[in-house]
Amino acid sequence: MTRASSRRPGPPTRTERGIPEATVARLPVYLRALTALSDSGIATASSEDLATAAGVNSAKLRKDLSYLGSYGTRGVGYDVEYLRYQIAREIGVTQDWAVVIVGIGNLGHALANYSGFGTRGFRIVALLDADPKLVGERIGDMEVRDFAELEHIVETDRVSIGVITTPAGPAQEVCDRLVAAGVTSILNFAPVVLSVPDGVDIRKVDLSIELQILAYHEQRKSGEVALPQVPELPATNALTPDLPAVGGGVIA
Amino acid sequence: MTRASSRRPGPPTRTERGIPEATVARLPVYLRALTALSDSGIATASSEDLATAAGVNSAKLRKDLSYLGSYGTRGVGYDVEYLRYQIAREIGVTQDWAVVIVGIGNLGHALANYSGFGTRGFRIVALLDADPKLVGERIGDMEVRDFAELEHIVETDRVSIGVITTPAGPAQEVCDRLVAAGVTSILNFAPVVLSVPDGVDIRKVDLSIELQILAYHEQRKSGEVALPQVPELPATNALTPDLPAVGGGVIA
DNA sequence: AGGAGCTTGTGAACGTGAGAACAAAATCGG
DNA sequence: CCGATTTTGTTCTCACGTTCACAAGCTCCT
Ligand SMILES: NC(=O)c1ccc[n+]([C@@H]2O[C@H](COP(=O)([O-])OP(=O)(O)OC[C@H]3O[C@@H](n4cnc5c(N)ncnc54)[C@H](O)[C@@H]3O)[C@@H](O)[C@H]2O)c1
Ligand SMILES: NC(=O)c1ccc[n+]([C@@H]2O[C@H](COP(=O)([O-])OP(=O)(O)OC[C@H]3O[C@@H](n4cnc5c(N)ncnc54)[C@H](O)[C@@H]3O)[C@@H](O)[C@H]2O)c1
């Protein structure tokens, strides 16, 4: 509340062309839905059609789109190609983004083999690993290179996005190197909380967390009322009594 | 406002032991942080310590934990082992959940090779694929089985969680089969919006979307004010003019 | 025993997000 | 040219989530 002139309750905030985060997260879904419609030869779609294709409700979709501008036509709907272009431009996928992947193990290999990135908006410019045995291996039309080349590659290819698929242990160190080299957006698959300086964006993908969230809901579907019995509180902060061993491990 | 007796502003809602969704999503993070602390030999931790380890602010952490009960000690903090057990119990990872993975391609292989699930709370009971060439292949101590065996396996092993790593095309069909077989929680990696009946939970992991969200923020870091020029609106809903080809493709 | 010092648990204020509802704008048929 | 019909863009309201701030409660020291 220090700036932003005189803000009354008003709309969500929308700081000078700033789009609400929840909306930003849905734009890629709309983009994909539009592409699907386009591929089906559909030229115009109503908010209802689009909302169905994107799995949201139509009021939300219209409000989301309204943050970008007025790209629809009342009584008609949206021109699929035109809207697709507008969203792509807003997200920034009209240009190509250079990406490096660090840690070419199980997951790194899968990502490297994946054609979905290359096709649209993202270009993988390097696969990096610290393991000398992996360096030089060919994956598709790329070759695994030594992690030491990071700084050089980032500078040469103007890399702004880094993907971390190393084990949890070295992830923070790798992250620091990426940031120092000039990478300002990071997608992290390692199950650790990474800390980055201001100005660097970080997102994480965490399988174990997703499964655990599902487990929570699953538990309450079946058990419903019958939750496992709670062991009595420890008398004081006594040195941990014998509780069943349970997980959520650091390695998980 | 139809039910729930007389709801005044009151607390978030907390429908009869129901924990807010945002909190549920963070509990696994706390669980991991506690395991890390435990492994470092730390027996007691304050909300501040825990919050730092989990990458959230301490007020939020305390409020989250308060939904589970009063497991801390004022002036002291939380007993690490005890809290870890309580969270694990609440999430439901004190028991093992049987999981099937459908679609053993690049990503399915990576998941199958991953030790992180098996270690705690989740047990992969089958790897399924429709491709006869893959059926029979060994991955670790498991063997790829025919997708046709799904129903049998789900029943025998009481599978409640399914992971979909097939291409987008067959994903809905696979999903329907899973649901029909009795699976009530699904983790989907295919870039499509799956529809499921009430009572089935679904979560998605979508790489392209994550990257596109990063791209959005990246674009506004660099360009800041200088956004690419907007082409003029189409006069009417004329058949789509010549816009640059852009992505977010269905395959992505 | 009593007070000083910490740290939890929670009430209250604030901000963000979702959805219902509707006026405004466009098309179309007569 | 007008009224019926369709569908957007937006307003209003309620629900949810986050953060602050502080009383209550615990430990330890004197
Ligand atoms: N494989 C999965 O399905 C899966 C699922 C969920 C999470 N994860 C997480 O993803 C990450 C990768 O998993 P994985 O199965 O591919 O592991 P992995 O062990 O197969 O591969 C890790 C790779 O990182 C490389 N590496 C290690 N230290 C490095 C460093 N300092 N610099 C550069 N490279 C380094 C290793 O040489 C190895 O090639 C892990 O953190 C894991 O927890 C994996
Ligand atoms: N590989 C990645 O890094 C990556 C990244 C992001 C998203 N994805 C998505 O994850 C999914 C899998 O990717 P992938 O690279 O492993 O693909 P893939 O083509 O390597 O593997 C797909 C597997 O699914 C099997 N399959 C096809 N139809 C099936 C059916 N009806 N029933 C059972 N099995 C069937 C195929 O035989 C194949 O083995 C895709 O939807 C992809 O878009 C993958």
Side-chain angles (χ1 to χ4, degrees):
Chain A
M1 190 175 282
T2 20
R3 297 162 50 83
S5 63
S6 61
R7 289 251 300 95
R8 206 47 46 184
T13 298
R14 189 142 132 75
T15 341
E16 208 53 48
R17 284 201 66 72
I19 295 174
E21 198 53 35
T23 296
V24 171
R26 282 187 295 265
L27 290 179
V29 180
Y30 302 155
L31 189 54
R32 185 176 288 154
L34 285 164
T35 303
L37 291 175
S38 176
D39 289 353
S40 313
I42 295 170
T44 302
S46 70
S47 61
E48 200 67 52
D49 298 338
L50 270 177
T52 303
V56 301
N57 102 15
S58 67
K60 183 149 62 179
L61 180 133
R62 286 200 301 277
K63 187 184 282 196
D64 283 342
L65 293 185
S66 79
Y67 290 118
L68 312 192
S70 280
Y71 295 138
T73 306
R74 295 176 190 220
V76 177
Y78 300 89
D79 179 287
V80 170
E81 282 304 318
Y82 183 63
L83 182 58
R84 181 160 73 116
Y85 176 74
Q86 293 301 339
I87 293 179
R89 190 179 52 79
E90 192 71 40
I91 296 177
V93 293
T94 45
Q95 58 194 284
D96 260 25
W97 296 96
V99 176
V100 293
I101 301 178
V102 183
I104 313 301
N106 289 314
L107 196 52
H109 269 89
L111 295 181
N113 275 321
Y114 184 51
S115 55
F117 302 126
T119 50
R120 313 266 181 192
F122 301 93
R123 188 166 39 92
I124 297 177
V125 299
L127 310 173
L128 302 175
D129 202 294
D131 184 346
K133 286 192 291 295
L134 276 172
V135 173
E137 182 185 324
R138 294 201 69 83
I139 302 178
D141 60 347
M142 302 210 60
E143 191 167 308
V144 179
R145 299 168 68 178
D146 194 293
F147 183 55
E149 296 188 56
L150 174 69
E151 287 76 8
H152 171 64
I153 292 166
V154 169
E155 188 174 13
T156 307
D157 290 316
R158 311 199 148 242
V159 176
S160 46
I161 300 178
V163 176
I164 298 179
T165 49
T166 65
Q172 179 66 59
E173 183 193 345
V174 166
C175 173
D176 292 344
R177 280 283 292 278
L178 283 168
V179 171
V183 170
T184 47
S185 288
I186 292 176
L187 181 56
N188 175 38
F189 286 83
V192 277
V193 176
L194 296 180
S195 63
V196 292
D198 280 4
V200 176
D201 280 296
I202 189 153
R203 296 190 64 87
K204 70 163 192 286
V205 172
D206 195 317
L207 284 278
S208 298
I209 287 182
E210 297 300 325
L211 285 178
Q212 289 178 14
I213 293 171
L214 288 175
Y216 170 82
H217 294 292
E218 198 59 40
Q219 167 167 268
R220 82 182 18 216
K221 278 181 219 165
S222 47
E224 202 56 61
V225 196
L227 292 173
Q229 193 49 43
V230 187
E232 89 291 352
L233 293 250
T236 72
N237 64 337
L239 260 287
T240 72
D242 43 37
L243 297 169
V246 290
V250 179
I251 321 170
Chain B
M1 191 174 283
T2 19
R3 297 163 48 83
S5 63
S6 61
R7 288 251 303 92
R8 207 44 46 182
T13 299
R14 189 144 134 71
T15 341
E16 210 51 49
R17 283 202 67 72
I19 295 175
E21 199 49 37
T23 296
V24 170
R26 281 187 295 265
L27 290 179
V29 180
Y30 302 156
L31 188 55
R32 184 176 286 154
L34 285 164
T35 303
L37 291 175
S38 176
D39 288 352
S40 313
I42 294 170
T44 303
S46 70
S47 62
E48 199 66 53
D49 298 337
L50 270 176
T52 303
V56 301
N57 102 17
S58 67
K60 183 149 60 180
L61 179 132
R62 285 199 302 278
K63 176 151 286 194
D64 283 343
L65 293 185
S66 78
Y67 290 117
L68 311 193
S70 279
Y71 296 138
T73 308
R74 296 178 189 219
V76 177
Y78 299 89
D79 180 287
V80 171
E81 281 305 318
Y82 182 64
L83 181 58
R84 183 159 72 116
Y85 176 73
Q86 292 300 338
I87 293 180
R89 189 179 51 79
E90 191 72 40
I91 296 178
V93 293
T94 45
Q95 57 192 284
D96 260 23
W97 295 97
V99 177
V100 292
I101 301 179
V102 183
I104 313 300
N106 288 315
L107 197 51
H109 270 88
L111 295 180
N113 276 319
Y114 184 50
S115 57
F117 302 127
T119 52
R120 314 263 182 194
F122 300 93
R123 189 166 38 92
I124 298 178
V125 299
L127 310 174
L128 302 176
D129 203 293
D131 184 346
K133 287 193 292 296
L134 275 173
V135 174
E137 181 184 325
R138 295 201 69 80
I139 302 178
D141 59 348
M142 303 210 62
E143 191 167 306
V144 179
R145 299 167 68 179
D146 194 293
F147 183 55
E149 297 188 53
L150 174 69
E151 287 76 8
H152 172 64
I153 293 168
V154 169
E155 189 174 11
T156 307
D157 290 317
R158 310 199 148 243
V159 176
S160 46
I161 301 178
V163 177
I164 298 179
T165 48
T166 65
Q172 179 66 59
E173 183 192 345
V174 166
C175 173
D176 292 343
R177 279 282 292 278
L178 283 168
V179 170
V183 169
T184 47
S185 288
I186 291 176
L187 181 55
N188 175 39
F189 286 83
V192 278
V193 177
L194 295 181
S195 62
V196 292
D198 279 2
V200 176
D201 281 296
I202 189 153
R203 297 188 63 87
K204 71 162 193 283
V205 172
D206 195 317
L207 283 278
S208 298
I209 287 183
E210 297 299 326
L211 285 178
Q212 287 179 12
I213 294 172
L214 287 175
Y216 170 82
H217 294 294
E218 197 61 39
Q219 167 168 266
R220 82 184 17 217
K221 280 179 215 165
S222 48
E224 201 59 58
V225 197
L227 293 172
Q229 193 51 45
V230 187
E232 89 291 352
L233 294 249
T236 73
N237 64 340
L239 260 287
T240 72
D242 42 38
L243 296 169
V246 290
V250 180
I251 320 169

